[in-house]
Amino acid sequence: MFWKRKKTDVTEQEIYADLSKKFGDKILEFMEEGTHNPTVIVEADQIGKIVSYLKDDERFQFDSLMNLAGHDPGAESELSVIYHLYSTELKHYITLKVFTSREEAVVASVANIYQTANWHEREAFDLYGIKFDGHPDLKRILLEDDWEGFPLRKDYVPAEFYRGMRIEKVK
Amino acid sequence: MGALNHKFNENILITSLDKLLNWSRSGSEWYFQFGLACCAIEMMSAAAARHDLERFGAMPRSSPRQADVMIVAGTVTLKMATRVKRLYEQMAEPKYVISMGSCSNSGGPYWQHGYHVLKGVDQIIPVDIYIPGCPPRPEALIEGLMHLQKKMREEHVLEKKED
């Protein structure tokens, strides 16, 4: 039974070491301290290749993208996208992270590797303005198409009106 | 009412007919069945067996054409606000609006940092009854509907308007 299968002994350190061997300087850093999950930081334009390698490799079999989220730590810093991968076969996790500049936020899309990434990437585009290169249908998912700005960016200032409706109440 | 609406001068027959119409209207507050957030759960609970809104003749209708009362139950986002306005316009006269819960009254918890929330549904449609609460219990909704019944009974739909 799959739920009784033992967790494999592949650790995050080993995954990082293997990725470093395979992709060289495209793998930037490995963070263990100060993060919730051990995180591998990689180059933004290489994320597709790295994720599909992790998905297809026999030893890793990361067949599930649990979550894909945009992140903005503050108005002065870079935007990032975080990928939480899980293997339903081998029951292990890895977290990947990419950084991208605030002005020209472009990250390679993984929507053709994981179907679930399609809407997650649209959400990150909608709220953070991160463009996903290679996404089949990149448009806003929650807000209206004529919305201006990206509300979850820390430097976002709400407009006064939206289609004639006042957004902030006059005190 | 339609063709009879506000057409006649006041007399004994018309005032009695007015009373009959108001009695029947207030006894059949068919409300528009749509919920926007957690207030809708309380609305469903009010409609279900324990609180049973149909005791008051209030039954949910799925079409704005058949509904008399619009219960705005939940957070009115700016995206939804355009739809709420259109649905209100599609309802037939005489029509009433109950604003249920803090969100549709004033924006509620989204009062200050809700970039996407309309700060009170009364900015886009006229509201008859406000029900406070987050969310209001079914009893509060029932009281709101009973206040609306009172309001309906005091109206004169047949008498000529002053203007």
Side-chain angles (χ1 to χ4, degrees):
Chain A
M1 293 300 168
F2 71 90
W3 59 84
K4 287 184 179 164
R5 198 174 295 155
K6 243 184 81 191
K7 187 180 178 297
T8 50
D9 301 328
V10 182
T11 61
E12 287 89 356
Q13 286 87 346
E14 284 166 9
I15 294 170
Y16 169 65
D18 190 84
L19 284 178
S20 289
K21 213 166 77 186
K22 171 96 179 158
F23 292 98
D25 57 352
K26 307 292 180 207
I27 310 296
L28 300 174
E29 207 186 320
F30 181 60
M31 282 169 65
E32 225 174 348
E33 300 292 318
T35 58
H36 187 66
N37 302 314
T39 304
V40 183
I41 298 170
V42 305
E43 291 261 3
D45 54 346
Q46 298 297 313
I47 184 72
K49 281 179 201 158
I50 292 162
V51 160
S52 80
Y53 170 72
L54 286 172
K55 187 184 181 186
D56 297 335
D57 196 280
E58 271 293 299
R59 294 161 297 160
F60 304 135
Q61 298 182 43
F62 282 108
D63 50 4
S64 163
L65 177 66
M66 292 198 306
N67 189 25
L68 185 158
H71 178 224
D72 182 7
E76 297 299 312
S77 42
E78 289 187 304
L79 301 172
S80 55
V81 182
I82 300 152
Y83 303 78
H84 291 266
L85 300 178
Y86 176 59
S87 169
T88 57
E89 286 294 321
L90 306 175
K91 304 205 180 302
H92 53 208
Y93 301 85
I94 188 74
T95 306
L96 303 174
K97 190 170 183 178
V98 301
F99 284 98
T100 179
S101 80
R102 182 171 284 271
E103 292 75 31
E104 191 74 26
V106 184
V107 177
S109 171
V110 297
N112 53 352
I113 303 161
Y114 295 108
Q115 290 291 309
T116 186
N118 189 317
W119 281 18
H120 285 178
E121 287 181 353
R122 280 177 62 189
E123 189 191 11
F125 168 70
D126 192 356
L127 302 175
Y128 291 98
I130 300 166
K131 290 189 186 67
F132 288 91
D133 197 20
H135 190 282
D137 183 25
L138 193 66
K139 60 183 183 192
R140 288 192 185 272
I141 189 169
L142 297 169
L143 297 164
E144 291 267 38
D145 289 334
D146 62 353
W147 192 275
E148 279 173 21
F150 304 106
L152 288 197
R153 286 195 180 192
K154 288 276 159 59
D155 53 0
Y156 175 75
V157 182
E160 198 177 352
F161 287 96
Y162 173 71
R163 293 197 192 178
M165 293 176 281
R166 183 174 280 280
I167 296 177
E168 290 296 329
K169 187 95 174 177
V170 192
K171 296 202 175 83
Chain B
M1 242 128 309
L4 294 177
N5 218 355
H6 301 297
K7 289 266 160 64
F8 303 94
N9 290 320
E10 195 174 348
N11 61 46
I12 293 170
L13 187 69
I14 291 301
T15 45
S16 310
L17 190 56
D18 233 7
K19 268 190 191 146
L20 176 73
L21 288 172
N22 284 346
W23 170 78
S24 60
R25 273 177 342 117
S26 63
S28 64
E29 290 172 315
W30 289 9
Y31 59 93
F32 187 21
Q33 180 190 33
F34 84 114
L36 304 179
C38 38
C39 281
I41 307 295
E42 297 298 308
M43 186 173 76
M44 288 178 235
S45 169
R50 183 172 289 260
H51 297 282
D52 195 15
L53 275 186
E54 259 178 272
R55 288 181 296 160
F56 307 100
M59 78 196 256
R61 305 303 300 170
S62 304
S63 160
R65 306 281 186 207
Q66 299 170 353
D68 305 307
V69 186
M70 175 187 249
I71 302 178
V72 184
T75 315
V76 187
T77 57
L78 292 167
K79 192 176 184 178
M80 195 65 200
T82 52
R83 277 78 167 173
V84 169
K85 191 159 187 245
R86 170 163 295 186
L87 288 168
Y88 175 75
E89 283 160 359
Q90 286 175 345
M91 282 166 68
E93 293 273 4
K95 53 192 172 186
Y96 303 89
V97 176
I98 294 179
S99 167
M100 181 184 181
S102 294
C103 287
S104 62
N105 288 345
S106 67
Y110 309 98
W111 168 262
Q112 203 161 24
H113 300 297
Y115 62 88
H116 61 303
V117 175
L118 188 70
K119 310 295 185 296
V121 75
D122 51 5
Q123 289 190 40
I124 51 165
I125 53 175
V127 175
D128 294 284
I129 306 285
Y130 296 88
I131 303 173
C134 186
R137 278 193 56 82
E139 292 92 321
L141 178 61
I142 290 168
E143 185 171 359
L145 282 166
M146 289 171 81
H147 272 286
L148 187 62
Q149 283 184 331
K150 214 167 125 193
K151 188 173 179 175
M152 283 176 172
R153 287 199 202 101
E154 286 163 7
E155 279 182 339
H156 307 282
V157 283
L158 288 181
E159 281 171 24
K160 253 189 178 170
K161 266 187 178 169
E162 290 297 317
D163 58 28

Short mmCIF file of all heavy atoms in Angstrom, two decimals, chain A residues 127 141-144 147 151-152 156 158 162-163 165-171, chain B residues 78-79 81-83 106 111-120 122-124:
data_model
loop_
_atom_site.label_atom_id
_atom_site.label_comp_id
_atom_site.label_asym_id
_atom_site.label_seq_id
_atom_site.Cartn_x
_atom_site.Cartn_y
_atom_site.Cartn_z
N LEU A 127 -1.19 39.28 -8.81
CA LEU A 127 -1.00 40.03 -7.57
C LEU A 127 0.42 40.60 -7.43
O LEU A 127 0.62 41.56 -6.69
CB LEU A 127 -1.33 39.13 -6.39
CG LEU A 127 -2.77 38.58 -6.42
CD1 LEU A 127 -2.99 37.61 -5.28
CD2 LEU A 127 -3.79 39.69 -6.34
N ILE A 141 -6.27 36.42 -12.89
CA ILE A 141 -7.18 35.33 -12.52
C ILE A 141 -8.18 35.78 -11.47
O ILE A 141 -9.33 35.34 -11.48
CB ILE A 141 -6.38 34.10 -12.02
CG1 ILE A 141 -7.28 32.88 -11.84
CG2 ILE A 141 -5.61 34.39 -10.75
CD1 ILE A 141 -6.55 31.61 -11.63
N LEU A 142 -7.81 36.68 -10.56
CA LEU A 142 -8.73 37.11 -9.50
C LEU A 142 -9.31 38.49 -9.77
O LEU A 142 -10.52 38.69 -9.65
CB LEU A 142 -8.00 37.12 -8.15
CG LEU A 142 -7.49 35.76 -7.68
CD1 LEU A 142 -6.56 35.93 -6.50
CD2 LEU A 142 -8.63 34.87 -7.31
N LEU A 143 -8.46 39.43 -10.12
CA LEU A 143 -8.95 40.79 -10.34
C LEU A 143 -9.46 40.93 -11.77
O LEU A 143 -9.23 40.08 -12.62
CB LEU A 143 -7.81 41.78 -10.09
CG LEU A 143 -7.28 41.78 -8.66
CD1 LEU A 143 -5.94 42.48 -8.60
CD2 LEU A 143 -8.26 42.45 -7.74
N GLU A 144 -10.16 42.05 -11.99
CA GLU A 144 -10.69 42.32 -13.33
C GLU A 144 -9.53 42.64 -14.29
O GLU A 144 -8.48 43.12 -13.87
CB GLU A 144 -11.63 43.52 -13.28
CG GLU A 144 -12.92 43.24 -12.54
CD GLU A 144 -14.03 42.79 -13.44
OE1 GLU A 144 -13.77 42.03 -14.39
OE2 GLU A 144 -15.17 43.20 -13.21
N TRP A 147 -7.90 46.11 -14.21
CA TRP A 147 -7.30 46.58 -12.96
C TRP A 147 -5.89 47.09 -13.24
O TRP A 147 -5.16 46.54 -14.05
CB TRP A 147 -7.24 45.42 -11.96
CG TRP A 147 -6.91 45.84 -10.58
CD1 TRP A 147 -5.66 46.03 -10.07
CD2 TRP A 147 -7.82 46.15 -9.53
NE1 TRP A 147 -5.76 46.44 -8.76
CE2 TRP A 147 -7.06 46.52 -8.41
CE3 TRP A 147 -9.21 46.15 -9.44
CZ2 TRP A 147 -7.65 46.89 -7.20
CZ3 TRP A 147 -9.79 46.51 -8.24
CH2 TRP A 147 -9.02 46.87 -7.14
N PRO A 151 -1.51 44.43 -6.53
CA PRO A 151 -1.83 44.84 -5.15
C PRO A 151 -0.96 44.24 -4.06
O PRO A 151 -0.83 44.84 -3.01
CB PRO A 151 -3.27 44.39 -4.97
CG PRO A 151 -3.78 44.09 -6.30
CD PRO A 151 -2.64 43.76 -7.17
N LEU A 152 -0.37 43.07 -4.24
CA LEU A 152 0.39 42.49 -3.14
C LEU A 152 1.86 42.93 -3.14
O LEU A 152 2.62 42.53 -2.28
CB LEU A 152 0.29 40.97 -3.14
CG LEU A 152 -1.06 40.40 -2.70
CD1 LEU A 152 -0.92 38.94 -2.33
CD2 LEU A 152 -1.66 41.15 -1.52
N TYR A 156 2.67 49.04 -3.54
CA TYR A 156 1.39 49.31 -4.22
C TYR A 156 0.60 50.39 -3.49
O TYR A 156 0.47 50.35 -2.27
CB TYR A 156 0.58 48.03 -4.29
CG TYR A 156 -0.81 48.19 -4.87
CD1 TYR A 156 -0.99 48.34 -6.24
CD2 TYR A 156 -1.94 48.18 -4.06
CE1 TYR A 156 -2.25 48.48 -6.78
CE2 TYR A 156 -3.21 48.31 -4.59
CZ TYR A 156 -3.35 48.46 -5.95
OH TYR A 156 -4.61 48.60 -6.49
N PRO A 158 -3.21 51.97 -3.53
CA PRO A 158 -4.53 51.77 -4.14
C PRO A 158 -5.01 53.02 -4.88
O PRO A 158 -4.73 54.14 -4.45
CB PRO A 158 -5.44 51.47 -2.94
CG PRO A 158 -4.53 51.14 -1.82
CD PRO A 158 -3.24 51.83 -2.08
N TYR A 162 -12.40 52.93 -8.70
CA TYR A 162 -12.38 51.86 -9.67
C TYR A 162 -13.75 51.84 -10.35
O TYR A 162 -14.77 51.62 -9.68
CB TYR A 162 -12.09 50.51 -9.02
CG TYR A 162 -12.24 49.36 -9.97
CD1 TYR A 162 -11.31 49.18 -10.98
CD2 TYR A 162 -13.32 48.50 -9.90
CE1 TYR A 162 -11.45 48.17 -11.89
CE2 TYR A 162 -13.48 47.48 -10.80
CZ TYR A 162 -12.54 47.31 -11.79
OH TYR A 162 -12.69 46.31 -12.71
N ARG A 163 -13.81 52.10 -11.63
CA ARG A 163 -15.06 52.19 -12.40
C ARG A 163 -16.09 53.08 -11.70
O ARG A 163 -17.26 52.72 -11.56
CB ARG A 163 -15.67 50.81 -12.62
CG ARG A 163 -14.84 49.93 -13.51
CD ARG A 163 -15.67 48.78 -14.00
NE ARG A 163 -14.86 47.77 -14.62
CZ ARG A 163 -15.34 46.63 -15.09
NH1 ARG A 163 -16.62 46.37 -15.01
NH2 ARG A 163 -14.55 45.76 -15.65
N MET A 165 -16.39 53.69 -8.58
CA MET A 165 -16.67 53.34 -7.18
C MET A 165 -15.47 53.76 -6.34
O MET A 165 -14.34 53.43 -6.68
CB MET A 165 -16.91 51.84 -7.04
CG MET A 165 -18.17 51.38 -7.72
SD MET A 165 -18.38 49.60 -7.66
CE MET A 165 -17.27 49.05 -8.94
N ARG A 166 -15.75 54.46 -5.26
CA ARG A 166 -14.65 54.89 -4.40
C ARG A 166 -14.09 53.70 -3.63
O ARG A 166 -14.84 52.91 -3.07
CB ARG A 166 -15.16 55.97 -3.42
CG ARG A 166 -14.08 56.54 -2.53
CD ARG A 166 -14.62 57.69 -1.73
NE ARG A 166 -14.68 58.91 -2.48
CZ ARG A 166 -13.62 59.71 -2.71
NH1 ARG A 166 -12.44 59.36 -2.26
NH2 ARG A 166 -13.76 60.80 -3.39
N ILE A 167 -12.77 53.58 -3.62
CA ILE A 167 -12.15 52.42 -2.95
C ILE A 167 -11.93 52.70 -1.48
O ILE A 167 -12.37 51.95 -0.62
CB ILE A 167 -10.85 52.02 -3.67
CG1 ILE A 167 -11.15 51.57 -5.09
CG2 ILE A 167 -10.15 50.91 -2.91
CD1 ILE A 167 -9.94 51.23 -5.91
N GLU A 168 -11.25 53.81 -1.16
CA GLU A 168 -11.05 54.15 0.25
C GLU A 168 -12.20 55.05 0.70
O GLU A 168 -12.51 56.04 0.05
CB GLU A 168 -9.72 54.88 0.46
CG GLU A 168 -8.50 53.99 0.27
CD GLU A 168 -8.41 52.87 1.30
OE1 GLU A 168 -8.87 53.07 2.44
OE2 GLU A 168 -7.89 51.80 0.95
N LYS A 169 -12.80 54.70 1.83
CA LYS A 169 -13.91 55.49 2.36
C LYS A 169 -13.41 56.84 2.85
O LYS A 169 -12.36 56.92 3.48
CB LYS A 169 -14.54 54.72 3.52
CG LYS A 169 -15.80 55.34 4.06
CD LYS A 169 -17.01 54.72 3.44
CE LYS A 169 -18.27 55.26 4.10
NZ LYS A 169 -19.47 54.73 3.48
N VAL A 170 -14.17 57.90 2.55
CA VAL A 170 -13.80 59.23 3.05
C VAL A 170 -14.16 59.30 4.52
O VAL A 170 -15.27 58.94 4.92
CB VAL A 170 -14.55 60.32 2.28
CG1 VAL A 170 -13.95 61.68 2.59
CG2 VAL A 170 -14.48 60.06 0.80
N LYS A 171 -13.21 59.73 5.36
CA LYS A 171 -13.47 59.76 6.80
C LYS A 171 -14.10 61.08 7.21
O LYS A 171 -13.98 62.06 6.55
CB LYS A 171 -12.18 59.53 7.55
CG LYS A 171 -11.63 58.15 7.27
CD LYS A 171 -10.68 57.67 8.35
CE LYS A 171 -10.27 56.24 8.07
NZ LYS A 171 -9.16 56.20 7.11
N LEU B 78 -15.05 44.75 -5.40
CA LEU B 78 -15.30 45.68 -6.51
C LEU B 78 -15.67 44.93 -7.77
O LEU B 78 -16.47 45.40 -8.59
CB LEU B 78 -14.05 46.53 -6.74
CG LEU B 78 -13.73 47.51 -5.61
CD1 LEU B 78 -12.34 48.07 -5.78
CD2 LEU B 78 -14.75 48.64 -5.57
N LYS B 79 -15.10 43.73 -7.92
CA LYS B 79 -15.43 42.92 -9.09
C LYS B 79 -16.88 42.48 -9.04
O LYS B 79 -17.58 42.48 -10.05
CB LYS B 79 -14.50 41.70 -9.13
CG LYS B 79 -14.54 40.93 -10.42
CD LYS B 79 -13.53 39.81 -10.38
CE LYS B 79 -13.47 39.07 -11.70
NZ LYS B 79 -12.47 38.00 -11.68
N ALA B 81 -19.23 44.02 -7.28
CA ALA B 81 -20.13 45.17 -7.15
C ALA B 81 -20.83 45.49 -8.46
O ALA B 81 -22.02 45.80 -8.48
CB ALA B 81 -19.35 46.38 -6.65
N THR B 82 -20.08 45.38 -9.58
CA THR B 82 -20.71 45.66 -10.87
C THR B 82 -21.83 44.65 -11.15
O THR B 82 -22.87 45.01 -11.69
CB THR B 82 -19.66 45.58 -11.98
OG1 THR B 82 -18.96 44.34 -11.86
CG2 THR B 82 -18.66 46.71 -11.86
N ARG B 83 -21.62 43.39 -10.72
CA ARG B 83 -22.65 42.35 -10.92
C ARG B 83 -23.83 42.58 -9.99
O ARG B 83 -24.99 42.38 -10.38
CB ARG B 83 -22.05 40.97 -10.66
CG ARG B 83 -21.31 40.36 -11.81
CD ARG B 83 -19.94 40.95 -11.97
NE ARG B 83 -19.11 40.16 -12.88
CZ ARG B 83 -17.91 40.55 -13.28
NH1 ARG B 83 -17.42 41.71 -12.91
NH2 ARG B 83 -17.22 39.79 -14.08
N SER B 106 -20.46 48.25 5.61
CA SER B 106 -19.43 49.28 5.64
C SER B 106 -18.06 48.79 5.17
O SER B 106 -17.09 49.52 5.28
CB SER B 106 -19.27 49.77 7.08
OG SER B 106 -18.73 48.72 7.86
N TRP B 111 -12.27 47.34 5.99
CA TRP B 111 -12.49 48.77 6.05
C TRP B 111 -11.25 49.56 5.65
O TRP B 111 -11.30 50.50 4.89
CB TRP B 111 -12.92 49.13 7.48
CG TRP B 111 -12.91 50.58 7.78
CD1 TRP B 111 -11.94 51.28 8.41
CD2 TRP B 111 -13.94 51.52 7.47
NE1 TRP B 111 -12.29 52.59 8.52
CE2 TRP B 111 -13.50 52.77 7.95
CE3 TRP B 111 -15.18 51.44 6.84
CZ2 TRP B 111 -14.26 53.93 7.81
CZ3 TRP B 111 -15.92 52.57 6.71
CH2 TRP B 111 -15.48 53.79 7.18
N GLN B 112 -10.08 49.14 6.16
CA GLN B 112 -8.91 49.99 5.96
C GLN B 112 -7.98 49.53 4.84
O GLN B 112 -7.58 50.32 4.03
CB GLN B 112 -8.13 50.09 7.26
CG GLN B 112 -7.28 51.35 7.28
CD GLN B 112 -6.85 51.71 8.67
OE1 GLN B 112 -6.79 50.86 9.55
NE2 GLN B 112 -6.55 52.96 8.89
N HIS B 113 -7.66 48.25 4.80
CA HIS B 113 -6.66 47.82 3.83
C HIS B 113 -7.27 46.96 2.72
O HIS B 113 -6.53 46.29 2.01
CB HIS B 113 -5.55 47.06 4.53
CG HIS B 113 -4.85 47.89 5.56
ND1 HIS B 113 -4.16 49.03 5.22
CD2 HIS B 113 -4.77 47.80 6.90
CE1 HIS B 113 -3.66 49.57 6.32
NE2 HIS B 113 -4.03 48.85 7.35
N GLY B 114 -8.57 46.97 2.59
CA GLY B 114 -9.20 46.16 1.55
C GLY B 114 -9.17 46.90 0.23
O GLY B 114 -10.11 47.60 -0.12
N TYR B 115 -8.10 46.73 -0.52
CA TYR B 115 -7.98 47.43 -1.80
C TYR B 115 -9.03 46.98 -2.80
O TYR B 115 -9.26 47.64 -3.78
CB TYR B 115 -6.57 47.20 -2.39
CG TYR B 115 -6.28 45.76 -2.69
CD1 TYR B 115 -6.62 45.23 -3.93
CD2 TYR B 115 -5.71 44.92 -1.76
CE1 TYR B 115 -6.39 43.91 -4.22
CE2 TYR B 115 -5.48 43.60 -2.03
CZ TYR B 115 -5.81 43.10 -3.27
OH TYR B 115 -5.60 41.78 -3.54
N HIS B 116 -9.66 45.82 -2.55
CA HIS B 116 -10.54 45.22 -3.54
C HIS B 116 -12.01 45.21 -3.07
O HIS B 116 -12.84 44.62 -3.73
CB HIS B 116 -10.10 43.78 -3.79
CG HIS B 116 -10.16 42.95 -2.54
ND1 HIS B 116 -9.48 43.29 -1.41
CD2 HIS B 116 -10.83 41.82 -2.26
CE1 HIS B 116 -9.73 42.39 -0.48
NE2 HIS B 116 -10.55 41.49 -0.96
N VAL B 117 -12.30 45.84 -1.91
CA VAL B 117 -13.64 45.71 -1.34
C VAL B 117 -14.37 47.05 -1.36
O VAL B 117 -13.80 48.09 -1.04
CB VAL B 117 -13.55 45.18 0.12
CG1 VAL B 117 -14.91 45.15 0.76
CG2 VAL B 117 -12.95 43.80 0.12
N LEU B 118 -15.64 46.98 -1.75
CA LEU B 118 -16.49 48.16 -1.72
C LEU B 118 -16.86 48.46 -0.27
O LEU B 118 -17.32 47.58 0.45
CB LEU B 118 -17.75 47.89 -2.55
CG LEU B 118 -18.67 49.07 -2.80
CD1 LEU B 118 -18.03 50.05 -3.75
CD2 LEU B 118 -19.99 48.59 -3.36
N LYS B 119 -16.69 49.73 0.15
CA LYS B 119 -16.91 50.07 1.56
C LYS B 119 -18.39 50.40 1.78
O LYS B 119 -18.76 51.54 2.00
CB LYS B 119 -16.02 51.23 1.98
CG LYS B 119 -14.55 51.07 1.63
CD LYS B 119 -13.92 49.92 2.38
CE LYS B 119 -12.43 49.83 2.15
NZ LYS B 119 -12.06 49.53 0.76
N GLY B 120 -19.21 49.38 1.69
CA GLY B 120 -20.65 49.56 1.89
C GLY B 120 -21.41 49.45 0.58
O GLY B 120 -21.14 50.19 -0.35
N ASP B 122 -24.29 50.35 0.03
CA ASP B 122 -25.16 51.50 -0.22
C ASP B 122 -24.49 52.55 -1.11
O ASP B 122 -25.12 53.54 -1.47
CB ASP B 122 -25.62 52.13 1.11
CG ASP B 122 -24.47 52.40 2.05
OD1 ASP B 122 -23.32 52.19 1.63
OD2 ASP B 122 -24.72 52.80 3.19
N GLN B 123 -23.24 52.33 -1.47
CA GLN B 123 -22.61 53.23 -2.44
C GLN B 123 -23.11 52.99 -3.85
O GLN B 123 -22.97 53.86 -4.72
CB GLN B 123 -21.10 53.06 -2.41
CG GLN B 123 -20.46 53.60 -1.15
CD GLN B 123 -18.95 53.62 -1.28
OE1 GLN B 123 -18.41 53.95 -2.32
NE2 GLN B 123 -18.27 53.26 -0.22
N ILE B 124 -23.64 51.78 -4.11
CA ILE B 124 -24.07 51.50 -5.48
C ILE B 124 -25.57 51.22 -5.60
O ILE B 124 -26.15 51.46 -6.65
CB ILE B 124 -23.28 50.33 -6.10
CG1 ILE B 124 -23.28 49.10 -5.18
CG2 ILE B 124 -21.88 50.75 -6.44
CD1 ILE B 124 -22.85 47.85 -5.86
#
